[in-house]
Amino acid sequence: MPHSLQKLPLPSLAPGNSHFLQKHVFTGSGTDRSAYVHAGLHADETPGLLVVQHLLRLLHDLDQQGRLLGEVVVVPYANPIGMAQKIFGVLGGRFYLENGENFNRNFPCIAADFQQALGQQMFAKNDISAFKKAFQALLPVRPLDPVAATKWALLEEAFRHDIVLDLHCDTSGVVHIYAPCDQRQRAMALAGAVGARALVLESDVGGKPFDESYLLPWKALHSADLVDEAHQGFSCTIELRGQSDVNDATARRDALGIIDFLATEGLLMPDRPPQQTNLRDTDCYPTEGLLHVSSPATGLLVYHKQPGETVATGELLAEIVLLDADLDSARIPVLSEIDAVFLVQQNARLVRAGQRIALLAGKKPLAHRTKGALLMHF
């Protein structure tokens, strides 16, 4: 089937200024199931932008070979406004400079309205088409604010699809995935396909991020026994290592992993054996078990552990070198408070007291981590 390229204009930020979203549409001919993939919602997280370019080429080749069964829509950059935000040459694509809002927070959330609609409208079980139409009908009118309109457009598109993949990265780290805890097996298939070091299972994280805003109405349907797990919409966030991990070899492997996952979901017929996977149940962690480690002092950060390694409680994770201290002053140790896998470290090495310097994933929920408030604002 022919590939099409579409543009969606966004409201202007200023006279003479314009932005638009772009989407590639590959229409299969064997199933009504579909998938949506985008990258760069945090505009300074660039690995996904290259992964998408490789994914587009792979999808084109599969389409030409007649191996594409379902529709796949790809938005190669999800945040053109953020991509234009440079301060003294440095891209600041995580927050909207006008109001400081995180680009992956405060998406339109129809969960409450849809819960009410379930009591007023009769749905047949697994009537996926009717569900998707209901989701889109409950979206508010498209906002006039350019960033809010971008979020609206991304979610409106996502609601058309059965599988939604949001490509991100962290500062420096290993591949890990945030996925719904009630769809563990599908999430494990994806994590294995892309070679994730850890799968973080989440529920009710709060903050209205893109993936949860998509998932919540599906969860309401599942709770009402109106959709079974095989037909339920699936969305997750894939963290593709760190910001500087942008190279063709890695990006192609990641794109092939996404292709393998879409094949397991019946959207395409692969033209090669799937990549080897080695994710185990022991590599799954609750979101409540994530620990954001803060620097205990201001100084130079020296790591003694690297992302992907495991750490035990009390083990040395890093040290802070005090640059303004006496010659005989000792370094300040940063010890792990939990048994965990080291997921993320910071690129900055000159840090201040209280600054986040690491993300650890442990098996046990932490007392200070509560549902509905699991996302940081940074």
Side-chain angles (χ1 to χ4, degrees), residues 103-323:
F103 283 115
N104 193 22
R105 304 291 187 272
N106 298 321
F107 271 78
C109 185
I110 67 165
D113 290 338
F114 187 70
Q115 191 72 50
Q116 183 177 0
L118 283 177
Q120 301 171 348
Q121 182 176 350
M122 297 295 294
F123 288 103
K125 186 164 184 175
N126 293 328
D127 189 348
I128 306 304
S129 177
F131 300 156
K132 292 176 180 177
K133 290 178 182 177
F135 296 163
Q136 291 180 313
L138 287 172
L139 279 170
V141 175
R142 192 181 85 151
L144 297 177
D145 173 78
V147 170
T150 302
K151 294 178 181 181
W152 184 96
L154 295 174
L155 189 60
E156 193 269 346
E157 179 64 43
F159 276 149
R160 300 177 186 274
H161 303 282
D162 304 279
I163 299 163
V164 175
L165 304 180
D166 186 11
L167 306 187
H168 285 254
C169 77
D170 216 298
T171 48
S172 180
V174 291
V175 179
H176 55 289
I177 290 178
Y178 295 94
C181 60
D182 60 347
Q183 297 191 60
R184 180 184 180 120
Q185 293 307 311
R186 296 174 82 182
M188 285 191 69
L190 173 63
V194 299
R197 175 64 177 84
L199 173 62
V200 181
L201 298 169
E202 56 186 15
S203 175
D204 189 18
V205 296
K208 301 178 183 176
F210 170 75
D211 59 348
E212 188 168 79
S213 295
Y214 168 85
L215 283 170
L216 284 177
W218 282 106
K219 290 186 176 183
L221 285 165
H222 191 250
S223 296
D225 196 29
L226 286 170
V227 64
D228 55 41
E229 186 171 336
H231 292 86
Q232 187 177 349
F234 174 80
S235 178
C236 73
T237 298
I238 306 176
E239 300 282 353
L240 296 166
R241 305 171 193 84
Q243 289 173 306
S244 64
D245 292 310
V246 182
N247 64 79
D248 281 318
T250 299
R252 179 173 170 79
R253 285 198 303 271
D254 293 338
L256 287 170
I258 293 173
I259 290 292
D260 290 342
F261 174 69
L262 295 181
T264 67
E265 290 286 333
L267 270 75
L268 55 88
M269 296 182 292
D271 56 357
R272 57 178 178 78
Q275 298 180 135
Q276 295 297 312
T277 63
N278 58 0
L279 192 82
R280 304 161 296 172
D281 282 338
T282 54
D283 296 318
C284 297
Y285 303 86
T287 312
E288 296 88 338
L290 295 183
L291 178 65
H292 295 275
V293 180
S294 299
S295 174
T298 297
L300 195 64
L301 172 63
V302 179
Y303 285 106
H304 289 270
K305 288 285 187 177
Q306 297 300 314
E309 296 181 346
T310 57
V311 293
T313 302
E315 190 171 0
L316 184 66
L317 182 68
E319 290 180 310
I320 306 298
V321 180
L322 303 177
L323 302 180

